[in-house]
Short mmCIF file of all heavy atoms in Angstrom, two decimals:
data_model
loop_
_atom_site.label_atom_id
_atom_site.label_comp_id
_atom_site.label_asym_id
_atom_site.label_seq_id
_atom_site.Cartn_x
_atom_site.Cartn_y
_atom_site.Cartn_z
N PRO A 157 -17.66 -10.62 -4.73
CA PRO A 157 -18.24 -9.24 -4.65
C PRO A 157 -19.76 -9.31 -4.66
O PRO A 157 -20.34 -10.16 -5.24
CB PRO A 157 -17.72 -8.57 -5.99
CG PRO A 157 -17.44 -9.71 -6.89
CD PRO A 157 -17.03 -10.89 -6.03
N MET A 158 -20.33 -8.38 -3.89
CA MET A 158 -21.76 -8.41 -3.61
C MET A 158 -22.25 -6.95 -3.66
O MET A 158 -21.69 -6.07 -2.98
CB MET A 158 -21.98 -9.07 -2.25
CG MET A 158 -23.34 -9.06 -1.62
SD MET A 158 -23.29 -9.85 0.02
CE MET A 158 -24.93 -9.38 0.62
N ALA A 159 -23.32 -6.69 -4.37
CA ALA A 159 -23.84 -5.34 -4.55
C ALA A 159 -25.28 -5.24 -4.18
O ALA A 159 -26.11 -5.93 -4.75
CB ALA A 159 -23.63 -4.84 -5.98
N MET A 160 -25.57 -4.37 -3.18
CA MET A 160 -26.97 -4.11 -2.84
C MET A 160 -27.50 -3.07 -3.80
O MET A 160 -26.80 -2.08 -4.20
CB MET A 160 -27.08 -3.55 -1.47
CG MET A 160 -26.47 -4.48 -0.33
SD MET A 160 -27.17 -6.14 -0.38
CE MET A 160 -28.93 -5.82 -0.35
N ILE A 161 -28.67 -3.35 -4.29
CA ILE A 161 -29.28 -2.48 -5.35
C ILE A 161 -30.64 -1.91 -4.81
O ILE A 161 -31.47 -2.58 -4.27
CB ILE A 161 -29.65 -3.35 -6.58
CG1 ILE A 161 -28.39 -4.06 -7.11
CG2 ILE A 161 -30.21 -2.42 -7.67
CD1 ILE A 161 -27.24 -3.17 -7.53
N ASN A 162 -30.75 -0.59 -4.93
CA ASN A 162 -31.96 0.21 -4.60
C ASN A 162 -32.35 0.14 -3.11
O ASN A 162 -33.42 0.64 -2.79
CB ASN A 162 -33.17 -0.34 -5.49
CG ASN A 162 -33.08 0.04 -6.94
OD1 ASN A 162 -32.46 1.05 -7.27
ND2 ASN A 162 -33.70 -0.78 -7.73
N THR A 163 -31.50 -0.34 -2.30
CA THR A 163 -31.91 -0.31 -0.85
C THR A 163 -31.79 1.13 -0.26
O THR A 163 -32.46 1.43 0.74
CB THR A 163 -31.00 -1.25 -0.05
OG1 THR A 163 -29.59 -0.97 -0.27
CG2 THR A 163 -31.29 -2.71 -0.33
N PHE A 164 -30.92 2.01 -0.88
CA PHE A 164 -30.86 3.35 -0.43
C PHE A 164 -32.14 4.06 -0.69
O PHE A 164 -32.67 4.76 0.17
CB PHE A 164 -29.71 4.04 -1.05
CG PHE A 164 -29.44 5.51 -0.54
CD1 PHE A 164 -28.65 5.77 0.54
CD2 PHE A 164 -30.13 6.56 -1.20
CE1 PHE A 164 -28.46 7.02 1.00
CE2 PHE A 164 -29.97 7.84 -0.67
CZ PHE A 164 -29.14 8.11 0.36
N GLU A 165 -32.69 3.89 -1.92
CA GLU A 165 -33.94 4.53 -2.25
C GLU A 165 -35.13 3.93 -1.42
O GLU A 165 -36.08 4.68 -1.13
CB GLU A 165 -34.20 4.35 -3.71
CG GLU A 165 -33.30 5.10 -4.66
CD GLU A 165 -32.11 4.28 -4.97
OE1 GLU A 165 -31.79 3.23 -4.31
OE2 GLU A 165 -31.28 4.69 -5.86
N MET A 166 -35.04 2.67 -1.17
CA MET A 166 -36.09 2.01 -0.37
C MET A 166 -36.16 2.49 1.06
O MET A 166 -37.20 2.75 1.62
CB MET A 166 -35.84 0.52 -0.41
CG MET A 166 -36.79 -0.30 0.47
SD MET A 166 -36.23 -1.99 0.72
CE MET A 166 -37.25 -2.50 2.04
N MET A 167 -34.92 2.64 1.73
CA MET A 167 -34.89 3.03 3.11
C MET A 167 -33.59 3.72 3.43
O MET A 167 -32.61 3.11 3.98
CB MET A 167 -35.00 1.75 4.00
CG MET A 167 -35.26 2.07 5.42
SD MET A 167 -35.57 0.56 6.40
CE MET A 167 -35.85 1.23 8.03
N PRO A 168 -33.48 5.01 3.04
CA PRO A 168 -32.25 5.77 3.31
C PRO A 168 -31.97 5.90 4.77
O PRO A 168 -32.90 5.78 5.56
CB PRO A 168 -32.54 7.09 2.62
CG PRO A 168 -34.00 7.20 2.63
CD PRO A 168 -34.51 5.79 2.43
N PRO A 169 -30.72 6.13 5.13
CA PRO A 169 -30.37 6.33 6.53
C PRO A 169 -31.21 7.40 7.21
O PRO A 169 -31.47 8.47 6.68
CB PRO A 169 -28.87 6.69 6.47
CG PRO A 169 -28.41 6.12 5.19
CD PRO A 169 -29.53 6.18 4.24
N GLY A 170 -31.69 7.09 8.41
CA GLY A 170 -32.50 8.05 9.12
C GLY A 170 -33.99 7.93 8.95
O GLY A 170 -34.78 8.50 9.68
N GLN A 171 -34.33 7.13 7.97
CA GLN A 171 -35.82 6.98 7.69
C GLN A 171 -36.29 5.69 8.46
O GLN A 171 -35.70 4.59 8.35
CB GLN A 171 -36.02 6.75 6.18
CG GLN A 171 -37.51 6.58 5.84
CD GLN A 171 -37.77 6.64 4.32
OE1 GLN A 171 -37.38 7.63 3.70
NE2 GLN A 171 -38.45 5.65 3.82
N ALA A 172 -37.38 5.85 9.23
CA ALA A 172 -37.80 4.75 10.06
C ALA A 172 -38.56 3.65 9.36
O ALA A 172 -38.41 2.45 9.70
CB ALA A 172 -38.73 5.30 11.18
N LEU A 173 -39.32 3.99 8.30
CA LEU A 173 -40.10 3.00 7.64
C LEU A 173 -39.71 2.98 6.17
O LEU A 173 -39.39 4.01 5.57
CB LEU A 173 -41.58 3.36 7.70
CG LEU A 173 -42.23 3.38 9.11
CD1 LEU A 173 -43.63 3.80 9.05
CD2 LEU A 173 -42.11 1.98 9.76
N PRO A 174 -39.67 1.72 5.56
CA PRO A 174 -39.18 1.61 4.19
C PRO A 174 -40.25 2.08 3.19
O PRO A 174 -41.47 2.03 3.48
CB PRO A 174 -39.01 0.08 4.06
CG PRO A 174 -39.96 -0.51 5.03
CD PRO A 174 -39.96 0.47 6.25
N ASN A 175 -39.80 2.48 2.03
CA ASN A 175 -40.68 2.83 0.90
C ASN A 175 -41.10 1.55 0.19
O ASN A 175 -40.27 0.58 0.17
CB ASN A 175 -39.97 3.79 -0.05
CG ASN A 175 -39.56 5.10 0.56
OD1 ASN A 175 -40.32 5.66 1.34
ND2 ASN A 175 -38.30 5.52 0.29
N LEU A 176 -42.23 1.51 -0.39
CA LEU A 176 -42.64 0.25 -1.09
C LEU A 176 -42.01 0.15 -2.48
O LEU A 176 -42.10 -0.93 -3.06
CB LEU A 176 -44.17 0.25 -1.22
CG LEU A 176 -44.97 0.23 0.11
CD1 LEU A 176 -46.44 0.23 -0.20
CD2 LEU A 176 -44.53 -1.06 0.88
N ARG A 177 -41.50 1.18 -3.01
CA ARG A 177 -40.77 1.19 -4.29
C ARG A 177 -39.60 2.10 -4.19
O ARG A 177 -39.57 3.04 -3.41
CB ARG A 177 -41.72 1.59 -5.45
CG ARG A 177 -42.82 0.60 -5.69
CD ARG A 177 -42.28 -0.69 -6.32
NE ARG A 177 -43.34 -1.63 -6.61
CZ ARG A 177 -43.77 -2.55 -5.73
NH1 ARG A 177 -43.16 -2.67 -4.50
NH2 ARG A 177 -44.70 -3.45 -6.07
N PRO A 178 -38.53 1.82 -4.96
CA PRO A 178 -38.37 0.83 -6.00
C PRO A 178 -38.04 -0.50 -5.49
O PRO A 178 -37.85 -0.71 -4.31
CB PRO A 178 -37.19 1.39 -6.82
CG PRO A 178 -36.33 2.12 -5.82
CD PRO A 178 -37.34 2.71 -4.87
N ARG A 179 -37.79 -1.44 -6.37
CA ARG A 179 -37.57 -2.84 -6.03
C ARG A 179 -36.09 -3.01 -5.62
O ARG A 179 -35.17 -2.70 -6.34
CB ARG A 179 -37.85 -3.83 -7.15
CG ARG A 179 -39.33 -3.83 -7.58
CD ARG A 179 -39.50 -4.55 -8.88
NE ARG A 179 -39.07 -5.97 -8.84
CZ ARG A 179 -39.10 -6.78 -9.86
NH1 ARG A 179 -39.54 -6.36 -11.07
NH2 ARG A 179 -38.76 -8.03 -9.76
N PRO A 180 -35.84 -3.49 -4.39
CA PRO A 180 -34.51 -3.72 -3.89
C PRO A 180 -33.95 -5.08 -4.40
O PRO A 180 -34.74 -5.84 -5.02
CB PRO A 180 -34.61 -3.73 -2.40
CG PRO A 180 -36.00 -4.34 -2.18
CD PRO A 180 -36.90 -3.80 -3.31
N GLY A 181 -32.75 -5.34 -4.16
CA GLY A 181 -32.13 -6.60 -4.59
C GLY A 181 -30.71 -6.69 -4.28
O GLY A 181 -30.10 -5.76 -3.75
N VAL A 182 -30.07 -7.83 -4.64
CA VAL A 182 -28.63 -8.02 -4.44
C VAL A 182 -28.14 -8.78 -5.67
O VAL A 182 -28.74 -9.62 -6.25
CB VAL A 182 -28.41 -8.85 -3.13
CG1 VAL A 182 -29.08 -10.15 -3.17
CG2 VAL A 182 -26.89 -8.98 -2.88
N ARG A 183 -26.83 -8.43 -6.01
CA ARG A 183 -26.18 -9.10 -7.12
C ARG A 183 -24.86 -9.66 -6.58
O ARG A 183 -24.10 -8.98 -5.92
CB ARG A 183 -25.85 -8.10 -8.23
CG ARG A 183 -27.11 -7.55 -8.94
CD ARG A 183 -26.69 -6.46 -9.88
NE ARG A 183 -27.88 -5.78 -10.46
CZ ARG A 183 -27.82 -4.56 -11.02
NH1 ARG A 183 -26.70 -3.84 -11.11
NH2 ARG A 183 -28.92 -4.04 -11.56
N PHE A 184 -24.62 -10.96 -6.91
CA PHE A 184 -23.31 -11.57 -6.51
C PHE A 184 -22.55 -11.78 -7.73
O PHE A 184 -22.98 -12.31 -8.72
CB PHE A 184 -23.65 -12.89 -5.85
CG PHE A 184 -24.50 -12.87 -4.57
CD1 PHE A 184 -25.85 -13.08 -4.60
CD2 PHE A 184 -23.89 -12.60 -3.34
CE1 PHE A 184 -26.62 -12.99 -3.45
CE2 PHE A 184 -24.64 -12.57 -2.20
CZ PHE A 184 -26.01 -12.67 -2.21
N GLY A 185 -21.28 -11.32 -7.69
CA GLY A 185 -20.38 -11.43 -8.85
C GLY A 185 -19.51 -12.65 -8.72
O GLY A 185 -19.57 -13.44 -7.75
N ARG A 186 -18.74 -12.91 -9.75
CA ARG A 186 -17.87 -14.03 -9.80
C ARG A 186 -16.71 -13.91 -8.82
O ARG A 186 -16.30 -12.74 -8.54
CB ARG A 186 -17.33 -14.20 -11.22
CG ARG A 186 -18.33 -14.53 -12.28
CD ARG A 186 -17.66 -14.74 -13.65
NE ARG A 186 -18.70 -15.12 -14.69
CZ ARG A 186 -18.39 -15.34 -15.92
NH1 ARG A 186 -17.14 -15.20 -16.33
NH2 ARG A 186 -19.40 -15.73 -16.78
N PRO A 187 -16.20 -15.03 -8.30
CA PRO A 187 -15.17 -14.94 -7.27
C PRO A 187 -13.92 -14.21 -7.86
O PRO A 187 -13.55 -14.38 -9.02
CB PRO A 187 -14.79 -16.40 -7.00
CG PRO A 187 -16.09 -17.11 -7.36
CD PRO A 187 -16.66 -16.44 -8.50
N LEU A 188 -13.26 -13.41 -6.96
CA LEU A 188 -12.09 -12.71 -7.34
C LEU A 188 -10.81 -13.49 -6.97
O LEU A 188 -10.84 -14.11 -5.90
CB LEU A 188 -12.04 -11.34 -6.69
CG LEU A 188 -13.27 -10.42 -6.89
CD1 LEU A 188 -13.15 -9.14 -6.07
CD2 LEU A 188 -13.34 -10.04 -8.39
N ASP A 189 -9.84 -13.57 -7.78
CA ASP A 189 -8.70 -14.35 -7.54
C ASP A 189 -7.50 -13.45 -7.12
O ASP A 189 -6.95 -12.64 -7.93
CB ASP A 189 -8.29 -15.14 -8.81
CG ASP A 189 -7.05 -16.02 -8.55
OD1 ASP A 189 -6.65 -16.24 -7.45
OD2 ASP A 189 -6.46 -16.55 -9.61
N PHE A 190 -7.06 -13.62 -5.90
CA PHE A 190 -5.91 -12.80 -5.36
C PHE A 190 -4.80 -13.71 -4.98
O PHE A 190 -3.94 -13.37 -4.10
CB PHE A 190 -6.36 -12.00 -4.16
CG PHE A 190 -7.44 -10.99 -4.45
CD1 PHE A 190 -8.65 -11.06 -3.91
CD2 PHE A 190 -7.17 -9.94 -5.36
CE1 PHE A 190 -9.65 -10.12 -4.21
CE2 PHE A 190 -8.10 -9.00 -5.68
CZ PHE A 190 -9.37 -9.09 -5.11
N SER A 191 -4.69 -14.93 -5.52
CA SER A 191 -3.70 -15.87 -5.11
C SER A 191 -2.27 -15.40 -5.37
O SER A 191 -1.35 -15.81 -4.68
CB SER A 191 -3.93 -17.27 -5.89
OG SER A 191 -3.88 -17.05 -7.28
N GLU A 192 -2.11 -14.50 -6.34
CA GLU A 192 -0.74 -13.97 -6.64
C GLU A 192 -0.21 -13.12 -5.49
O GLU A 192 1.02 -12.85 -5.42
CB GLU A 192 -0.74 -13.15 -7.95
CG GLU A 192 -1.65 -11.91 -7.89
CD GLU A 192 -1.56 -11.12 -9.20
OE1 GLU A 192 -0.50 -10.65 -9.51
OE2 GLU A 192 -2.64 -11.01 -9.82
N TYR A 193 -1.11 -12.70 -4.61
CA TYR A 193 -0.67 -11.84 -3.47
C TYR A 193 -0.61 -12.60 -2.14
O TYR A 193 -0.40 -11.97 -1.13
CB TYR A 193 -1.65 -10.65 -3.32
CG TYR A 193 -1.73 -9.81 -4.55
CD1 TYR A 193 -2.95 -9.74 -5.26
CD2 TYR A 193 -0.64 -9.10 -5.07
CE1 TYR A 193 -3.06 -8.93 -6.43
CE2 TYR A 193 -0.77 -8.32 -6.16
CZ TYR A 193 -1.92 -8.23 -6.85
OH TYR A 193 -2.01 -7.49 -7.96
N TYR A 194 -0.89 -13.93 -2.10
CA TYR A 194 -0.87 -14.60 -0.91
C TYR A 194 0.52 -14.53 -0.26
O TYR A 194 1.50 -14.58 -0.87
CB TYR A 194 -1.10 -16.13 -1.12
CG TYR A 194 -2.60 -16.39 -1.48
CD1 TYR A 194 -3.00 -17.66 -1.95
CD2 TYR A 194 -3.60 -15.47 -1.30
CE1 TYR A 194 -4.32 -17.96 -2.25
CE2 TYR A 194 -4.93 -15.70 -1.60
CZ TYR A 194 -5.29 -16.96 -2.09
OH TYR A 194 -6.62 -17.23 -2.40
N GLY A 195 0.47 -14.30 1.06
CA GLY A 195 1.69 -14.20 1.82
C GLY A 195 2.23 -12.73 1.95
O GLY A 195 3.24 -12.43 2.56
N GLN A 196 1.50 -11.81 1.29
CA GLN A 196 1.88 -10.42 1.29
C GLN A 196 0.88 -9.54 2.05
O GLN A 196 0.74 -8.34 1.76
CB GLN A 196 1.98 -9.91 -0.16
CG GLN A 196 2.98 -10.66 -1.00
CD GLN A 196 3.12 -10.10 -2.44
OE1 GLN A 196 3.36 -8.95 -2.63
NE2 GLN A 196 2.79 -10.97 -3.41
N GLU A 197 0.21 -10.13 3.05
CA GLU A 197 -0.89 -9.35 3.72
C GLU A 197 -0.32 -8.29 4.66
O GLU A 197 -1.12 -7.52 5.25
CB GLU A 197 -1.73 -10.34 4.51
CG GLU A 197 -1.05 -11.25 5.44
CD GLU A 197 -0.78 -12.58 4.79
OE1 GLU A 197 -0.69 -12.67 3.54
OE2 GLU A 197 -0.61 -13.60 5.53
N ASP A 198 1.05 -8.19 4.75
CA ASP A 198 1.56 -7.12 5.61
C ASP A 198 2.19 -5.96 4.74
O ASP A 198 2.75 -5.04 5.24
CB ASP A 198 2.70 -7.64 6.52
CG ASP A 198 2.12 -8.55 7.57
OD1 ASP A 198 1.03 -8.33 8.07
OD2 ASP A 198 2.76 -9.57 7.91
N ASP A 199 1.98 -6.14 3.41
CA ASP A 199 2.48 -5.12 2.46
C ASP A 199 1.36 -4.10 2.22
O ASP A 199 0.40 -4.43 1.60
CB ASP A 199 2.94 -5.78 1.17
CG ASP A 199 3.66 -4.85 0.15
OD1 ASP A 199 3.14 -3.64 0.02
OD2 ASP A 199 4.60 -5.27 -0.43
N ARG A 200 1.59 -2.85 2.66
CA ARG A 200 0.55 -1.81 2.54
C ARG A 200 0.15 -1.55 1.09
O ARG A 200 -1.00 -1.31 0.76
CB ARG A 200 0.96 -0.56 3.27
CG ARG A 200 0.98 -0.67 4.76
CD ARG A 200 1.32 0.65 5.40
NE ARG A 200 1.27 0.55 6.87
CZ ARG A 200 0.19 0.72 7.61
NH1 ARG A 200 -0.96 1.00 7.03
NH2 ARG A 200 0.21 0.63 8.88
N GLU A 201 1.12 -1.54 0.21
CA GLU A 201 0.83 -1.27 -1.19
C GLU A 201 -0.01 -2.40 -1.82
O GLU A 201 -0.95 -2.12 -2.50
CB GLU A 201 2.17 -1.06 -2.02
CG GLU A 201 2.92 0.18 -1.63
CD GLU A 201 4.14 0.42 -2.51
OE1 GLU A 201 4.23 -0.38 -3.49
OE2 GLU A 201 4.88 1.35 -2.30
N VAL A 202 0.31 -3.65 -1.44
CA VAL A 202 -0.48 -4.72 -1.92
C VAL A 202 -1.88 -4.66 -1.39
O VAL A 202 -2.89 -4.92 -2.07
CB VAL A 202 0.20 -6.07 -1.55
CG1 VAL A 202 -0.74 -7.25 -1.84
CG2 VAL A 202 1.47 -6.24 -2.38
#
C-alpha cells in the first residue's frame, strides 16, 4: 500500500502551477498478504 500525502493541496486538479506549501510526501505500508485467496481471481466476491 502506498499513500500520497498533501499532493492535492500542493497541486489540485486543474491548477497549472504547484503551491510551495504544504509539504508533499509518500508513505509506503507493510506488504499485504492475500495468499489465502490465490486461485480465486475469478470470484467476484473475493
